[in-house]
């Protein structure tokens, strides 16, 4: 996962999912969500557009305010429950 920039404005996120041999993984879809647990904030989940070869792109407002956020990427595959991977990020003040 790579965010264009850590900002409270609209930004984009690129997601690339690969297997152990760095081969693309076949997925039905992906979405991105952001939660600031300490303040009780949760942003609406954004559906990522499939670009092919295990790559996805989402664009929107991920962060309501500066501070520490958990960004979750939810991956959907055929016949399996969605999997969630999370990453902690800090959005700086004035972003």
């Amino acid at each position: 996962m790579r965010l264009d920039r850590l900002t409270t404005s609209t930004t984009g996120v690129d997601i690339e999912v690969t297997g152990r041999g760095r081969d693309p993984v076949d997925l039905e879809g992906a979405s991105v969500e952001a939660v600031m647990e300490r303040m009780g904030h949760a942003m609406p989940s954004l559906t990522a557009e499939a670009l092919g070869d295990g790559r996805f792109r989402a664009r929107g407002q991920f962060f309501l305010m500066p501070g520490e956020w958990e960004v979750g990427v939810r991956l959907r595959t055929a016949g399996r429950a969605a999997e969630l991977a999370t990453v902690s990020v800090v959005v700086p003040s004035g972003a």
Side-chain angles (χ1 to χ4, degrees):
M1 177 183 74
R2 185 186 63 77
L3 286 155
D4 289 347
R5 57 193 176 122
L6 291 171
T7 180
T8 56
S9 300
T10 299
T11 191
V13 62
D14 292 309
I15 304 161
E16 183 177 3
V17 184
T18 60
R20 292 184 207 267
R22 302 279 304 151
D23 296 324
V25 176
D26 186 29
L27 298 170
E28 285 186 344
S31 58
V32 182
E33 54 198 52
V35 174
M36 181 184 249
E37 195 169 315
R38 184 174 61 86
M39 298 293 287
H41 296 310
M43 299 300 286
S45 179
L46 297 173
T47 301
E49 174 187 2
L51 303 175
D53 294 330
R55 295 177 302 118
F56 295 84
R57 173 95 171 143
R59 186 159 178 77
Q61 183 182 13
F62 294 101
F63 310 111
L64 182 64
M65 61 187 289
E68 186 174 342
W69 288 83
E70 293 291 319
V71 178
V73 177
R74 194 169 302 274
L75 306 173
R76 294 183 307 283
T77 57
R80 294 180 58 186
E83 296 184 34
L84 179 67
T86 60
V87 176
S88 294
V89 299
V90 176
V91 178
S93 296

